[in-house]
Amino acid sequence: MNAPQHASLIGQRIPKMDAPEKVAGKTRYIQDLNLPGQLYGLILRTERVHARIVSIDTSAAKALPGVRAVLTAADVPIHPIGVNKDNPPLKGDKVRCERDEVAAVAADSLEIAQAAIKLIKVEYEDLPPIFDPRDSIKDGAPVIHAAKPDNVAMAFDYAHGDVERGEAESDVVVEDEFTLHRVTHCCMGVSGVIADFEPVSGNLTLYSNTQVPFLHKREFAEVLGMDPSRIRIIQPPIGGGFGSKLDIYPFEPIAVYLAKATRRPVKLIFTREEEFIASPTRQPAIIRLRSGAKKDGTLTFRTVDVLLDNGGYTSWGATIPFVMMQTFSSLYRVPHCRYHTKAVYTNNPFAGSFRGYGNLQATFAIEQQMDKMADALGIEPYEFRLKNAQNAGEVTGQGMHFKTCGFQDCLETAAGRSGFVEKRKALGAAKGLSGVRRGVGMASMLHVGGGAKIYPSDGCGTILKLDDFGHVTIMTGASEIGQGSETVLAQLVCEELGVPMSAVTVVNNDTDITPWDVGVHASRTTFIAGNSAIGAARKAKDKILAAAATVSNMKAEEMDLKGGNIVRASDGEKVMPLAKMLRQLHFSDKAELVMTTNYYEPPSVHQDKGFKGDVSAAYAWATQVVEVEVDTDTGIVKLLKVWAAHDVGRVLNEMGIEGQIEGGIIMGQGYALCEDMPVVEGHLVNPAFRDYKLITAPEIPEMDISFIETMDGEGPQGAKGVGEAPSICMAAAVANAIENATGVRIASLPFTPERVYSALKGRPL
Amino acid sequence: MNAPQHASLIGQRIPKMDAPEKVAGKTRYIQDLNLPGQLYGLILRTERVHARIVSIDTSAAKALPGVRAVLTAADVPIHPIGVNKDNPPLKGDKVRCERDEVAAVAADSLEIAQAAIKLIKVEYEDLPPIFDPRDSIKDGAPVIHAAKPDNVAMAFDYAHGDVERGEAESDVVVEDEFTLHRVTHCCMGVSGVIADFEPVSGNLTLYSNTQVPFLHKREFAEVLGMDPSRIRIIQPPIGGGFGSKLDIYPFEPIAVYLAKATRRPVKLIFTREEEFIASPTRQPAIIRLRSGAKKDGTLTFRTVDVLLDNGGYTSWGATIPFVMMQTFSSLYRVPHCRYHTKAVYTNNPFAGSFRGYGNLQATFAIEQQMDKMADALGIEPYEFRLKNAQNAGEVTGQGMHFKTCGFQDCLETAAGRSGFVEKRKALGAAKGLSGVRRGVGMASMLHVGGGAKIYPSDGCGTILKLDDFGHVTIMTGASEIGQGSETVLAQLVCEELGVPMSAVTVVNNDTDITPWDVGVHASRTTFIAGNSAIGAARKAKDKILAAAATVSNMKAEEMDLKGGNIVRASDGEKVMPLAKMLRQLHFSDKAELVMTTNYYEPPSVHQDKGFKGDVSAAYAWATQVVEVEVDTDTGIVKLLKVWAAHDVGRVLNEMGIEGQIEGGIIMGQGYALCEDMPVVEGHLVNPAFRDYKLITAPEIPEMDISFIETMDGEGPQGAKGVGEAPSICMAAAVANAIENATGVRIASLPFTPERVYSALKGRPL
């Protein structure tokens, strides 16, 4: 009779907790925050992309009434930021790309700041620029950073097995070069920060959209030369992240410098145009891939050479090869693998981390070549994949241990539900270069699904507090950037404590309140923060049931928490209301509140010097099949339907995971078909939504989403992380579908009408 | 060499942590808070003080553009509030005092709300009023609340011993009637609230100045008929409390009703005039006191009859007799005591809790009569007090157990430092009714100093979190209302963890984050919340030293935390920096963060049905001597100097406790000399600072403050609560000083020029 109350929350469709506030227009983003006495910060960016700064004249700007500070590199400490520490927030000697920050203003109003910026005069002396990364490594190339005379920002090699032996064993060898373009996150909430120093103490509070508040504390401390313990980061609700807010960028220290100079809070928010020009992009890449296989379809070897356009400075984009490598080495069983990567400076904008983190690029190359090899071997591509697909229990050449692995299930499910083999055969038989053609394409992916041990800790802390009425507060280090983390954490705690979702508040946006977490990246939040929250909840449950044992005739282990009550575990019979027990515990002689703390560190390991090791506690898998229509007269590619089969470990919140997968598919679709950032002589030509083409509602394809539940032993309730997975396969699957429709394989993205039309006409762009 | 780093923080002069923000004008009080879509609430109060409401016409107000809701009692549920549940937030049937809320408006702006209020037409039918509480209990008196036809809001009796026997043993018996007036808190921050319902969930967030957020949750839930777990109370920085924010008052549910009706946040802030008219006052009282003593100066008995003007409704003012009783029964050793109290309804404004909570009134009576009895016995009043003063170890007739007691030390110190005995003798010898006369007066007090077990729990919870850099966050249930609680809690934690004050953030203003606390009252915060914080810090220390033991060659108990380091306990030799240890703990295989929780419940007990029991874990004592100058031509009494000796257990923050005592003395001075709220026919005649006379800087007397450190065994580092103590003796001491100067004893407050002049002329007001 109490059955509905006792139903598990796991797998239910649970709306996001932050949705009502957002839909009601009540959410106050950083744009809506204003501090007393606040000034408005604005940045003057360079007009040139590679030039020496001869002089900066700020006198007229400083003289403008209402201007409180005008800063140039001469006014601030030299603390370059970014992955290579090559990016001074304000540029003093030279400029290296369109984004470069030359001066900054803090003024009483945005209008005054805008006027002041126009009054700053900068004299430049142009230097020879580099726009193509292949030019950066040519002899005699202009040097972009004096400290790196070879223009190489980052390079490394990886290998397992013996590729020469692999090649000798091969019956078929294919080699291709793939060119990946630049796209950007398009977060609805543009970048912004408010920097506020406390009087007297000098402590700094940053209101920030960062995805990594705890890492940011340390980074800001380094930049500012202050004790990290004196920095507090508060995250107002964040209008999307996708990795764009994973690094520290010049505007942030600039806002802090302005606040320091003026002793006033300074708010610095990008315009949309600035967001396009000056926020990180997905990493463009040139991938040369060579693979071999035996006649029976067994993969033999792979060599990979990756060249990255690092742009003017180094952010996380330069590090995507670490993730790409996993796909090359371990998506399929490859006994021999060699991998070389190089990120080189150019005078282009630079890339950051972006959902999928190199895996879209790697998968684009791998999964096209898998089709190509299958064709060369005369094997059905689906069968070829299935033959080489990893299985549960395997340890790859790179040391990844797949304790659970739904890859083959994903392949079978996506192929089965889409009728892939038959459809591909039928459409392929009708392929051609005239009229409107249809094709199907398949791609699969492997991605970390249980965190990624990159930092000294990959953990997350939780503090749990129950009030006298059964209300639960979860203080978690895990940030909510729109991905639904607070909802799934609440759900996992409610499941343990047998309370409804309405009983929970999640506190997750203030480093002074919440315990440490490494940040939102690597699809880790549900897995890591979820396990942390479950641990805290189980400690609370133990405390409650132990107390219940003292007032009932049952042992703690004979009881459970369900439907807001303490119940008999065997039959769900109510023992007493949870809230009543909490009050008895509190209002007794030995008064006690139920408060617990927990820190979860996944059982993953750091990679060794050879980049080998089981870096994630679990791995996610997916296969996506797409069906497209190619208008050969216009080059327009229409995505008709996507069949997506994802090994998600276990579905926790069906609505949430569907949203993640749908959103990811659409992001992958945009990457494949229309999003692009043409940079001409270092300048972005389309910094606006008018010219930057995002997927909009009418273009969203029909979707058929299947969940493969492998019930991961380490995952929270069996779940794996899935935040990045859904966008990874799309471009590769679309490429394969275009080939199926037209017989033409296109190795460069995006598949805009112009590029497709040119390719079909035999004149690839 | 490291000695300065290792110095204890206890007893240091530590500035308040919130002072810099306040001084810099950065503190954002509730007045400064605005929510998106917020409306402005305003209350229409009655024009009459006792009348039937015949009709209310809100049609014109409702028709005004920008008006979003107009509510009367007819529109809201009937849920009377207050201690007797006799006060409906909106009055429907009748009005009973000047404050009565008849209608309320929510509008787009305050100006529109003001215009709307003027458009509401109310028809009244006057009823016969009562203004003197002595009239309330006369036969045939008009009935104010139908449910209480005898007009008695609250009455009770207490006794210990056998007063008849005591009287029989007495050589001297004196009897007096004392009349105490009405004053108000004059918080710089006026009352206000913002009520905000979440869309969909309907959860309520109250931005409130309350001193009792956790009790408020339950109270609002009752009023609103909702689950208390769905109410979140956030306290913006509070501009003073003193007890005025201890009860729920009609404006608060009204704001909630308006928010509910409009589905918009509603902000309702008092004007200063409204704050005078409609916020609680100190409880006026008429005290008839009869006491006896033997020739040798031993007190024999006491009978007390207290009549309280309860006003139109019942708030905490009606309950002050519980505290008054302690002074009558237990300040001195009194073997026989009988006590009767009655609070009766009138058509006057009503009183709430106010720093000292009845003890100013009781002490005024007791300590004047002690002088009078001493004179009658021919004993020096100081000697008479000393003879009857309580001592450590004693248990009083009411069951209070004085585990530590600095009363006799207080008497000796205040008398010694002021030269009281000689001065009193000399000035008394010169006493007279002409010219300017000087006098000294002494009074002492007893007050709870270790909480007061009134609610089911008198405890407080703490959550502690240390970050990787040694920064400490204290999440405490204890509210900061300007009294400096966050500073002393930070100090106590720093003392345990050996870190500087700058290492601490205190989080104390959000019921969804902080653990339960019963609220700011009964001078309990330093004692209760302090012990709770110390407990949490000691758990953290244990964890840290246990970890240090695993990486050093010392046992945990051989180490200590000092100066930001782990040190060898024996000689302070540095073992390793605390922050380094925290990072080692965090970034190890068995990753752990230092987070602890603690709940402290004092070892006090509830009073039994006879009002007996040891309700506080410690008791505070004080003796104050004042010197005054009386201008017999004008009646002007000038307070020249105060010698205050306080048993504070132990001085924690010398600057903080000095501030508390200085502020309390000035508040007592205002009560004694100038603050007054004349209510004529139910109407307050001076609702403004122009006419309500507060003590200002030039009138502040010289002060000589001594701390008696009795090192209470249960107190945090030995301290006792002292928040209320310093204002308690002042009026009594001034009365005794006036007598010493002029020979005239005045039994009514305040000692305004008019009252003193009239008394000196033999025509007491």
Side-chain angles (χ1 to χ4, degrees):
Chain A
M1 299 204 289
N2 285 325
Q5 277 195 317
H6 290 200
S8 166
L9 286 168
I10 304 305
Q12 297 298 310
R13 301 186 67 78
I14 296 172
K16 282 179 69 188
M17 292 171 80
D18 55 353
E21 291 269 325
K22 284 181 173 163
V23 170
K26 292 185 70 172
T27 303
R28 303 187 84 182
Y29 298 95
I30 195 164
Q31 284 78 0
D32 305 309
L33 266 187
N34 295 296
L35 301 190
Q38 163 189 292
L39 300 175
Y40 296 81
L42 204 61
I43 291 169
L44 174 68
R45 298 182 191 278
T46 177
E47 297 155 28
R48 318 293 175 91
V49 297
H50 199 202
R52 206 169 62 77
I53 298 174
V54 178
S55 67
I56 308 178
D57 179 0
T58 60
S59 55
K62 280 179 175 159
L64 189 70
V67 170
R68 302 295 167 177
V70 182
L71 300 180
T72 68
D75 305 308
V76 301
I78 299 170
H79 273 292
I81 58 174
V83 170
N84 266 6
K85 305 281 180 246
D86 57 12
N87 191 0
L90 283 164
K91 278 64 181 175
D93 55 346
K94 60 182 283 191
V95 291
R96 296 173 182 87
C97 75
E98 184 181 19
R99 281 182 195 158
D100 275 21
E101 300 78 6
V102 171
V105 168
D108 290 350
S109 73
L110 191 56
E111 292 69 28
I112 295 172
Q114 286 162 338
I117 284 289
K118 288 187 191 138
L119 294 175
I120 300 171
K121 291 183 195 74
V122 189
E123 199 185 330
Y124 297 99
E125 185 184 297
D126 277 324
L127 298 167
I130 311 174
F131 300 123
D132 186 322
R134 284 167 288 216
D135 294 338
S136 297
I137 36 182
K138 285 184 181 156
D139 283 347
V143 172
I144 294 177
H145 286 271
K148 301 270 186 180
D150 60 358
N151 284 333
V152 176
M154 197 175 286
F156 66 87
D157 292 279
Y158 162 84
H160 72 251
D162 172 355
V163 291
E164 280 68 29
R165 191 179 129 201
E167 182 146 2
E169 290 169 7
S170 301
D171 297 310
V172 168
V173 171
V174 294
E175 181 167 347
D176 300 281
E177 187 172 279
F178 300 94
T179 309
L180 288 306
H181 65 312
R182 192 179 271 114
V183 297
T184 192
H185 302 74
C186 300
C187 301
M188 290 299 101
V190 294
S191 303
V193 67
I194 304 175
D196 184 26
F197 284 97
E198 273 177 36
V200 185
S201 74
N203 289 351
L204 173 63
T205 300
L206 280 174
Y207 297 86
S208 162
N209 282 342
T210 179
Q211 300 178 219
V212 288
F214 293 94
L215 299 183
H216 250 40
K217 273 179 69 147
R218 183 189 280 268
E219 290 209 66
F220 272 99
E222 269 177 34
V223 172
L224 301 168
M226 66 190 280
D227 177 355
S229 75
R230 293 173 54 216
I231 299 177
R232 178 178 198 166
I233 296 184
I234 296 173
Q235 297 152 287
I238 296 174
F242 312 112
S244 60
K245 293 158 176 96
L246 209 61
D247 203 354
I248 182 172
Y249 293 105
F251 75 95
E252 295 163 309
I254 286 173
V256 175
Y257 291 143
L258 289 171
K260 196 156 197 173
T262 56
R263 306 176 76 88
R264 300 261 293 270
V266 171
K267 179 175 184 173
L268 198 159
I269 307 280
F270 278 11
T271 60
R272 177 59 67 184
E273 186 183 3
E274 217 170 5
E275 182 78 7
F276 270 106
I277 291 173
S279 66
T281 70
R282 195 180 287 285
Q283 178 65 55
I286 301 168
I287 301 172
R288 178 158 288 275
L289 176 62
R290 182 174 165 84
S291 311
K294 294 183 192 169
K295 261 187 271 183
D296 68 353
T298 314
L299 283 170
T300 48
F301 82 97
R302 206 165 255 160
T303 61
V304 196
D305 198 325
V306 175
L307 180 65
L308 300 183
D309 177 355
N310 195 60
Y313 304 95
T314 314
S315 179
W316 291 116
T319 70
I320 64 158
F322 292 104
V323 174
M324 297 174 88
M325 187 162 54
Q326 295 174 356
T327 293
F328 290 121
S329 76
S330 305
L331 169 58
Y332 297 100
R333 260 177 266 111
V334 188
H336 311 290
C337 180
R338 192 163 62 208
Y339 177 82
H340 171 73
T341 185
K342 195 176 275 176
V344 298
Y345 288 113
T346 66
N347 295 111
N348 292 325
F350 54 97
S353 68
F354 195 163
R355 194 181 196 177
Y357 212 96
N359 209 350
L360 285 75
Q361 295 94 317
T363 301
F364 183 72
I366 286 278
E367 286 291 81
Q368 283 210 67
Q369 209 173 59
M370 287 298 281
D371 260 30
K372 210 173 147 184
M373 289 176 78
D375 286 346
L377 291 160
I379 302 175
E380 163 57 40
Y382 164 69
E383 296 297 341
F384 181 49
R385 286 183 171 88
L386 204 55
K387 184 174 181 68
N388 292 285
Q390 302 282 2
N391 231 324
E394 296 195 57
V395 178
T396 78
Q398 210 190 335
M400 298 157 90
H401 180 195
F402 303 132
K403 286 155 222 110
T404 56
C405 173
F407 188 12
Q408 302 197 358
D409 270 355
C410 288
L411 278 165
E412 285 163 16
T413 304
R417 292 187 66 87
S418 62
F420 176 74
V421 174
E422 305 71 30
K423 212 173 244 179
R424 184 174 184 276
K425 200 172 171 187
L427 294 171
K431 74 173 63 164
L433 291 170
S434 63
V436 175
R437 303 287 174 162
R438 281 199 178 201
V440 291
M442 169 183 276
S444 296
M445 73 99 223
L446 151 69
H447 205 74
V448 293
K453 197 152 280 180
I454 299 158
Y455 300 95
S457 160
D458 193 29
C460 176
T462 306
I463 299 171
L464 214 69
K465 167 182 95 93
L466 274 74
D467 80 0
D468 294 337
F469 314 103
H471 190 77
V472 181
T473 300
I474 305 169
M475 296 176 234
T476 173
S479 302
E480 170 68 53
I481 60 166
Q483 85 278 43
S485 69
E486 62 186 21
T487 306
V488 79
L489 297 181
Q491 192 189 350
L492 290 168
V493 168
C494 287
E495 183 69 10
E496 296 300 322
L497 299 180
V499 296
M501 291 290 290
S502 59
V504 175
T505 301
V506 180
V507 176
N508 55 6
N509 68 343
D510 183 339
T511 56
D512 265 8
I513 293 175
T514 58
W516 197 88
D517 175 74
V518 80
V520 182
H521 70 98
S523 305
R524 63 183 282 287
T525 303
T526 295
F527 196 98
I528 309 286
N531 273 330
S532 179
I534 287 175
R538 287 190 180 155
K539 289 179 187 174
K541 185 173 176 174
D542 287 349
K543 210 165 176 176
I544 294 161
L545 294 185
T550 68
V551 296
S552 73
N553 55 0
M554 273 179 276
K555 291 178 188 163
E557 56 271 27
E558 293 167 348
M559 289 179 280
D560 201 354
L561 298 175
K562 298 276 181 200
N565 293 311
I566 295 163
V567 300
R568 191 158 57 202
S570 58
D571 62 359
E573 185 74 19
K574 176 171 162 181
V575 178
M576 71 190 293
L578 169 62
K580 193 176 165 192
M581 183 71 248
L582 292 169
R583 289 194 291 273
Q584 277 199 16
L585 200 56
H586 181 191
F587 301 122
S588 66
D589 283 349
K590 256 189 93 66
E592 212 181 335
L593 298 184
V594 176
M595 304 184 277
T596 64
T597 68
N598 192 49
Y599 189 73
Y600 172 76
E601 180 71 39
S604 48
V605 298
H606 288 97
Q607 288 182 339
D608 60 20
K609 284 182 187 169
F611 306 110
K612 290 174 188 166
D614 195 22
V615 290
S616 185
Y619 297 89
W621 304 87
T623 299
Q624 293 179 348
V625 170
V626 303
E627 183 166 352
V628 303
E629 194 176 81
V630 184
D631 184 332
T632 59
D633 294 327
T634 60
I636 292 173
V637 177
K638 218 163 130 180
L639 181 61
L640 301 174
K641 186 160 179 179
V642 179
W643 294 263
H646 280 258
D647 170 7
V648 300
R650 186 177 184 192
V651 174
L652 298 179
N653 177 1
E654 194 178 53
M655 194 182 271
I657 202 165
E658 276 180 12
Q660 277 282 34
I661 291 180
E662 290 169 3
I665 285 173
I666 295 163
M667 197 170 249
Q669 179 185 6
Y671 183 61
L673 294 182
C674 51
E675 293 186 54
D676 195 12
M677 303 181 86
V679 174
V680 174
E681 305 223 318
H683 291 279
L684 177 65
V685 302
N686 60 340
F689 280 126
R690 190 188 48 201
D691 299 318
Y692 184 96
K693 183 69 185 71
L694 272 184
I695 297 295
T696 58
E699 297 136 1
I700 295 175
E702 194 182 339
M703 296 186 200
D704 177 284
I705 299 171
S706 303
F707 300 113
I708 309 302
E709 297 195 298
T710 46
M711 303 299 286
D712 192 82
E714 182 67 22
Q717 295 278 0
K720 299 177 178 181
V722 73
E724 296 170 280
S727 55
I728 291 172
C729 305
M730 287 298 296
V734 169
N736 289 338
I738 292 172
E739 195 283 332
N740 183 229
T742 65
V744 175
R745 182 160 294 286
I746 314 177
S748 304
L749 280 178
F751 301 134
T752 53
E754 190 184 5
R755 184 180 310 278
V756 173
Y757 184 85
S758 302
L760 297 183
K761 299 299 166 201
R763 302 184 301 267
L765 288 183
Chain B
M1 299 207 286
N2 286 324
Q5 277 195 315
H6 291 200
S8 166
L9 285 169
I10 304 304
Q12 298 298 312
R13 301 185 66 78
I14 295 173
K16 282 178 71 187
M17 292 172 78
D18 56 353
E21 290 271 325
K22 283 181 173 163
V23 171
K26 291 185 70 171
T27 304
R28 303 187 85 181
Y29 298 96
I30 195 164
Q31 283 78 0
D32 305 309
L33 265 188
N34 295 295
L35 301 190
Q38 163 188 292
L39 300 174
Y40 296 82
L42 204 62
I43 292 169
L44 174 68
R45 298 182 191 279
T46 176
E47 298 154 26
R48 318 295 174 90
V49 297
H50 199 203
R52 205 167 64 76
I53 298 174
V54 178
S55 67
I56 309 177
D57 179 0
T58 60
S59 54
K62 280 179 175 160
L64 190 68
V67 170
R68 302 295 168 177
V70 182
L71 299 181
T72 68
D75 304 307
V76 301
I78 299 168
H79 275 290
I81 59 174
V83 171
N84 268 6
K85 305 280 179 245
D86 58 12
N87 191 0
L90 283 164
K91 278 64 181 176
D93 55 344
K94 59 182 284 192
V95 291
R96 296 174 182 86
C97 76
E98 184 182 21
R99 282 180 194 162
D100 277 18
E101 299 79 5
V102 172
V105 168
D108 290 349
S109 73
L110 192 56
E111 293 68 28
I112 296 172
Q114 286 162 339
I117 283 290
K118 287 186 191 139
L119 295 175
I120 300 170
K121 292 184 194 72
V122 188
E123 198 185 330
Y124 298 99
E125 184 184 297
D126 277 324
L127 297 167
I130 310 174
F131 301 121
D132 187 322
R134 284 167 287 218
D135 294 339
S136 298
I137 38 181
K138 285 182 181 158
D139 283 346
V143 172
I144 294 176
H145 286 271
K148 301 273 187 180
D150 59 359
N151 284 333
V152 176
M154 197 175 284
F156 66 87
D157 291 278
Y158 163 84
H160 72 250
D162 173 354
V163 293
E164 280 68 29
R165 191 179 128 202
E167 182 146 3
E169 290 170 6
S170 303
D171 297 311
V172 167
V173 171
V174 293
E175 182 168 346
D176 299 281
E177 188 171 281
F178 300 93
T179 309
L180 288 307
H181 65 313
R182 191 180 273 112
V183 297
T184 193
H185 302 75
C186 300
C187 301
M188 289 299 101
V190 295
S191 304
V193 69
I194 305 176
D196 184 26
F197 283 97
E198 274 177 36
V200 184
S201 74
N203 289 351
L204 173 63
T205 300
L206 280 173
Y207 298 85
S208 161
N209 282 341
T210 179
Q211 300 179 220
V212 288
F214 294 94
L215 299 183
H216 249 41
K217 272 178 69 145
R218 184 189 280 268
E219 289 208 67
F220 272 98
E222 269 176 35
V223 172
L224 301 168
M226 68 189 280
D227 176 356
S229 76
R230 293 174 54 214
I231 299 176
R232 178 178 198 166
I233 296 183
I234 295 173
Q235 297 152 287
I238 296 174
F242 312 113
S244 61
K245 294 160 176 94
L246 210 60
D247 203 352
I248 183 173
Y249 292 105
F251 75 95
E252 294 163 309
I254 286 173
V256 175
Y257 291 143
L258 289 170
K260 197 157 196 171
T262 58
R263 307 175 75 87
R264 300 263 292 268
V266 171
K267 179 173 185 174
L268 198 160
I269 307 280
F270 277 11
T271 60
R272 177 59 65 184
E273 185 183 6
E274 216 170 4
E275 182 77 7
F276 270 106
I277 290 174
S279 66
T281 70
R282 195 179 286 288
Q283 178 64 55
I286 300 166
I287 301 171
R288 177 156 289 274
L289 177 62
R290 182 175 165 87
S291 311
K294 295 184 188 167
K295 261 187 273 185
D296 68 355
T298 313
L299 283 170
T300 48
F301 82 97
R302 207 165 255 158
T303 62
V304 196
D305 199 325
V306 175
L307 180 65
L308 301 183
D309 177 354
N310 195 59
Y313 304 94
T314 313
S315 179
W316 292 118
T319 69
I320 65 159
F322 292 104
V323 175
M324 298 174 86
M325 186 163 53
Q326 296 174 356
T327 292
F328 291 121
S329 76
S330 304
L331 170 59
Y332 297 101
R333 261 176 266 109
V334 188
H336 312 289
C337 180
R338 193 164 61 209
Y339 176 81
H340 172 73
T341 186
K342 195 176 274 175
V344 298
Y345 288 114
T346 66
N347 296 110
N348 292 325
F350 55 95
S353 68
F354 196 163
R355 193 180 196 177
Y357 213 97
N359 208 349
L360 285 75
Q361 295 94 317
T363 300
F364 183 73
I366 285 278
E367 284 292 84
Q368 282 210 67
Q369 207 174 59
M370 285 300 281
D371 261 31
K372 209 173 148 184
M373 287 177 77
D375 286 347
L377 290 160
I379 303 177
E380 164 55 41
Y382 164 70
E383 297 295 343
F384 181 48
R385 286 184 171 87
L386 206 55
K387 185 174 180 70
N388 291 286
Q390 300 283 2
N391 231 324
E394 296 195 56
V395 178
T396 77
Q398 210 191 335
M400 298 157 91
H401 180 196
F402 303 131
K403 286 154 222 109
T404 57
C405 173
F407 187 11
Q408 300 196 0
D409 270 355
C410 288
L411 278 164
E412 285 164 16
T413 303
R417 292 189 66 86
S418 63
F420 175 74
V421 174
E422 306 70 30
K423 212 172 243 178
R424 182 174 187 276
K425 198 169 172 189
L427 294 171
K431 71 172 67 164
L433 291 171
S434 62
V436 174
R437 301 288 174 159
R438 282 198 178 206
V440 290
M442 168 181 277
S444 297
M445 74 98 223
L446 151 69
H447 205 73
V448 291
K453 198 152 278 182
I454 298 157
Y455 300 94
S457 161
D458 193 29
C460 176
T462 305
I463 299 171
L464 216 68
K465 168 183 94 94
L466 275 73
D467 79 0
D468 294 337
F469 314 103
H471 189 77
V472 182
T473 300
I474 305 169
M475 296 177 235
T476 173
S479 302
E480 170 69 53
I481 60 167
Q483 86 278 41
S485 69
E486 61 187 22
T487 306
V488 79
L489 297 181
Q491 192 189 350
L492 291 168
V493 168
C494 287
E495 183 70 9
E496 297 300 324
L497 298 181
V499 294
M501 291 291 289
S502 59
V504 176
T505 301
V506 181
V507 176
N508 55 7
N509 69 342
D510 183 339
T511 56
D512 265 8
I513 293 175
T514 59
W516 196 88
D517 175 75
V518 79
V520 182
H521 70 98
S523 303
R524 64 182 282 286
T525 303
T526 295
F527 196 98
I528 308 285
N531 274 330
S532 178
I534 288 176
R538 288 188 180 156
K539 289 179 188 174
K541 185 173 178 173
D542 288 348
K543 210 165 175 176
I544 294 161
L545 295 185
T550 68
V551 295
S552 73
N553 55 1
M554 273 180 276
K555 291 179 188 163
E557 56 271 28
E558 292 168 350
M559 290 180 279
D560 201 353
L561 298 176
K562 298 277 182 201
N565 293 312
I566 296 164
V567 300
R568 189 157 58 202
S570 57
D571 61 1
E573 185 75 19
K574 177 171 160 180
V575 178
M576 70 190 293
L578 170 62
K580 192 176 166 193
M581 182 71 247
L582 292 168
R583 287 194 292 273
Q584 277 199 13
L585 201 54
H586 181 191
F587 301 121
S588 66
D589 283 348
K590 256 190 92 65
E592 212 180 335
L593 298 185
V594 177
M595 304 184 277
T596 64
T597 68
N598 191 48
Y599 190 73
Y600 173 76
E601 180 72 39
S604 48
V605 297
H606 287 97
Q607 289 182 341
D608 61 19
K609 284 180 187 170
F611 307 108
K612 290 173 186 165
D614 194 23
V615 289
S616 185
Y619 297 89
W621 304 87
T623 299
Q624 293 178 347
V625 171
V626 302
E627 183 165 353
V628 303
E629 195 176 80
V630 183
D631 184 335
T632 60
D633 293 328
T634 61
I636 290 173
V637 177
K638 217 163 132 180
L639 181 60
L640 302 174
K641 186 161 180 178
V642 179
W643 294 263
H646 281 259
D647 171 7
V648 299
R650 186 177 183 192
V651 174
L652 297 180
N653 176 1
E654 194 177 55
M655 195 182 270
I657 202 165
E658 275 180 13
Q660 276 284 32
I661 290 179
E662 289 169 4
I665 285 173
I666 295 162
M667 197 170 249
Q669 178 186 6
Y671 183 62
L673 294 181
C674 51
E675 293 184 55
D676 196 12
M677 302 181 87
V679 174
V680 175
E681 305 223 318
H683 292 279
L684 177 65
V685 303
N686 60 343
F689 280 127
R690 188 188 50 201
D691 299 317
Y692 184 96
K693 182 74 183 71
L694 272 185
I695 297 295
T696 58
E699 299 139 0
I700 295 175
E702 193 182 342
M703 297 187 201
D704 177 285
I705 299 171
S706 304
F707 299 112
I708 309 302
E709 296 193 300
T710 47
M711 303 299 285
D712 191 81
E714 181 68 20
Q717 295 278 1
K720 300 177 178 182
V722 73
E724 296 170 282
S727 55
I728 291 170
C729 303
M730 287 299 296
V734 169
N736 289 338
I738 292 172
E739 195 284 332
N740 182 231
T742 66
V744 175
R745 183 160 293 285
I746 313 177
S748 301
L749 280 178
F751 299 134
T752 53
E754 188 184 8
R755 183 179 311 275
V756 172
Y757 183 86
S758 302
L760 296 181
K761 299 299 167 199
R763 303 183 301 268
L765 289 183

